[in-house]
Amino acid sequence: MTGMISPSARRISVLGATGSVGEATLDLIARAEPGRYDVVALTAKSNARRLAELAIAHSADFVAILDASAEAELRESLQAHPDIKIGVGEAAIIDAACREADWIMAAIVGAAGLKPTLAALEQGTHLAFANKECLVCSGSLFMDAARRHGTRLLPVDSEHNAVFQVFDTARRDHIRSITLTASGGPFRDWSAERMARARRSDALAHPTWEMGAKITIDSASMMNKGLEIIEACWLFDLPHTKVDVVVHKQSIIHGLVEYADGSVLAQLGSPDMRTPIASALAWPDRMTAPVERLDLARMARLDFELPDPDRFPALRLARQAIEAGGIAPAVLNAANEVAVAAFLREQIGFLDISSCVEEALAQSLNEDGMPQSVAAFEDVFVIDRLARDVAERFVSRVKA
Ligand code: NAD
Ligand code: MG
């Protein structure tokens, strides 16, 4: 198969291939004209069967799986394909990220994606960037590394991809603000009392987007938008006061840029991640994506409202964290990851998620061994680990 690939094929790796973004990326590649893309490496946490299927379908050179317990199944599934090399464990995931490629999709979920995403970034090519948690926790270090290695960051998060498409970098002095839209999630119209009793299945029922479990819970709490505010500050080099959020339940307008002359440029599209992924995949060109076309007349109306700060404290916490700087964004992210996982295990209530983050932000600076600033990636790993301990103590207390 490799022999058929034209010399101009774009070499692609997908970190987090079996996830929602990873699958959507590979779906686009499968539909592209043959020879356009050459899949180098694919990674997954534990879904060996699916990873093997994807590797076979795309004739990947290398697959890496995190969980050692999935190794046997992966080897067995790839038995008839000795040309697909197999790696196991964190080092193998990083190895996958280090394989020479022209375009790498960073679609692992959580701060666990930081090391492999950094390894990909250090290749100095094109990094399609979905794994927002790793930018939230490492901020300026991440952006500095991208600059140092000459890496082109292509935002994949739909709102950031939208802003990227209409953000005139040559005229950034004339940009007044950007706006990220939010669907409002499944609890947009729920009372706080009802939210307090929300079950896992309620929070996983997202009205407009189909995504992985973690980001779906983040959408329900609006912490996703909080993380996205921080992500936008770094990607577009803006203070958070210039990053607005508006609830737009139809998820048709994804992001807007307001200019000094009053012009507001926006990107619109059906809520389908294959549009922002396609935009990053073909950048700076365009490609066809199999998404439903917008029919504004049929839609008839688009609604907008401000998020309710009382029911969605996550937005305030995220702004507080980016405003405080230092260790705070990494603490916010780590505590949120722990709280979301505990909610998904049905150990804490829905509103406990924000309480856990709030408590971790208030207490982490006093945690033994906590770095007081972020000078190197090593500090980020320590902050992440210690903030998780603080959050785990909250979870143990609440579930008791
Ligand atoms: P997902 O849970 O569907 O998939 C995550 C992928 O990462 C899977 O392939 C999984 O095997 C892998 N993975 C999980 N933990 C890992 C670990 N510790 N080490 C290595 N690999 C690991 O998640 P998703 O919804 O595709 O989201 C991925 C990232 O993209 C997240 O950061 C999310 O915020 C962001 N994002 C997702 C969407 C979406 O529509 N799903 C939209 C915008 C941004
Ligand atoms: Mg988004």
Side-chain angles (χ1 to χ4, degrees):
M1 186 70 184
T2 319
M4 286 163 54
I5 290 177
S6 77
S8 60
R10 206 167 201 190
R11 292 166 304 171
I12 306 272
S13 288
V14 181
L15 310 178
T18 56
S20 159
V21 172
E23 288 272 7
T25 306
L26 289 164
D27 176 63
L28 286 168
I29 291 173
R31 294 162 189 265
E33 61 189 270
R36 188 98 180 73
Y37 300 104
D38 173 13
V39 174
V40 178
L42 301 177
T43 78
K45 183 177 184 207
S46 53
N47 190 345
R49 177 157 313 189
R50 188 61 190 146
L51 181 62
E53 282 170 6
L54 291 168
I56 294 165
H58 293 276
S59 308
D61 302 335
F62 182 65
V63 290
I65 198 146
L66 183 71
D67 290 352
S69 59
E71 178 177 359
E73 191 183 1
L74 184 60
R75 291 201 185 278
E76 194 186 318
S77 311
L78 290 174
Q79 215 162 30
H81 302 269
D83 45 327
I84 302 176
K85 301 286 172 268
I86 297 170
V88 182
E90 197 189 6
I93 304 272
I94 293 171
D95 184 13
C98 292
R99 301 254 158 165
E100 207 175 317
D102 304 306
W103 189 98
I104 304 173
M105 168 57 83
I108 293 173
V109 57
L114 181 55
K115 278 183 194 169
T117 301
L118 264 182
L121 181 148
E122 286 170 4
Q123 285 205 37
T125 55
H126 294 85
L127 187 71
F129 185 70
N131 184 190
K132 66 191 93 185
E133 294 91 346
C134 73
L135 180 54
V136 168
C137 70
S138 65
S140 64
L141 293 172
F142 191 92
M143 296 307 290
D144 287 347
R147 266 188 294 274
R148 215 169 42 248
H149 294 279
T151 302
R152 166 60 77 170
L153 288 177
L154 300 169
V156 167
D157 212 342
S158 55
E159 300 77 3
H160 304 71
N161 181 267
V163 168
F164 179 71
Q165 292 195 42
V166 290
F167 193 101
D168 187 350
T169 39
R171 296 187 180 62
R172 54 171 308 128
D173 290 352
H174 299 287
I175 290 174
R176 258 193 204 145
S177 71
I178 65 172
T179 300
L180 312 176
T181 60
S183 68
F187 303 149
R188 185 172 48 90
D189 298 324
W190 285 37
S191 67
E193 296 70 42
R194 199 170 162 214
M195 284 167 76
R197 294 189 311 269
R199 306 288 303 262
R200 182 181 192 276
S201 54
D202 300 320
L204 284 174
H206 197 280
T208 51
W209 295 99
E210 259 180 60
M211 311 178 287
K214 195 265 177 179
I215 185 175
T216 304
I217 302 303
D218 284 347
S219 301
S221 68
M222 291 197 76
M223 182 55 90
N224 181 48
K225 216 47 57 179
L227 299 175
E228 289 183 356
I229 292 172
I230 300 175
E231 181 186 17
C233 291
W234 291 117
L235 287 176
F236 303 109
D237 192 19
L238 292 171
H240 78 91
T241 48
K242 290 190 172 188
V243 181
D244 295 332
V245 167
V246 68
V247 173
H248 164 45
K249 67 180 179 189
Q250 293 91 354
S251 301
I252 295 298
I253 302 181
H254 305 298
L256 311 92
V257 176
E258 180 198 16
Y259 290 86
D261 62 5
S263 299
V264 178
L265 303 193
Q267 186 263 4
L268 292 73
S270 295
D272 186 326
M273 281 305 290
R274 290 177 299 182
T275 292
I277 295 169
S279 137
L281 194 53
W283 188 89
D285 216 330
R286 294 275 179 186
M287 65 186 284
T288 306
V291 301
E292 196 182 325
R293 292 177 63 185
L294 264 195
D295 184 343
L296 290 176
R298 188 169 56 89
M299 202 158 323
R301 61 181 278 178
L302 298 176
D303 295 280
F304 305 95
E305 66 194 48
L306 285 176
D308 177 350
D310 298 326
R311 285 182 305 125
F312 299 102
L315 289 168
R316 167 179 56 83
L317 295 172
R319 289 197 188 273
Q320 202 177 306
I322 185 80
E323 181 78 39
I327 73 165
V331 168
L332 171 100
N333 178 67
N336 182 58
E337 286 192 32
V338 167
V340 168
F343 174 75
L344 283 169
R345 290 193 303 267
E346 303 188 302
Q347 292 176 328
I348 64 173
F350 184 74
L351 297 181
D352 293 329
I353 299 174
S354 296
S355 306
C356 176
V357 173
E358 180 140 36
E359 182 168 309
L361 281 172
Q363 292 186 1
S364 283
L365 266 176
N366 306 321
E367 186 74 359
D368 257 358
M370 182 63 87
Q372 302 295 297
S373 64
V374 193
F377 283 105
E378 269 321 306
D379 296 326
V380 178
F381 300 126
V382 176
I383 297 161
D384 181 70
R385 185 167 46 80
L386 294 176
R388 278 169 204 269
D389 294 344
V390 177
E392 291 290 1
R393 290 203 294 273
F394 174 96
V395 169
S396 307
R397 209 175 65 232
V398 169
K399 79 179 186 202

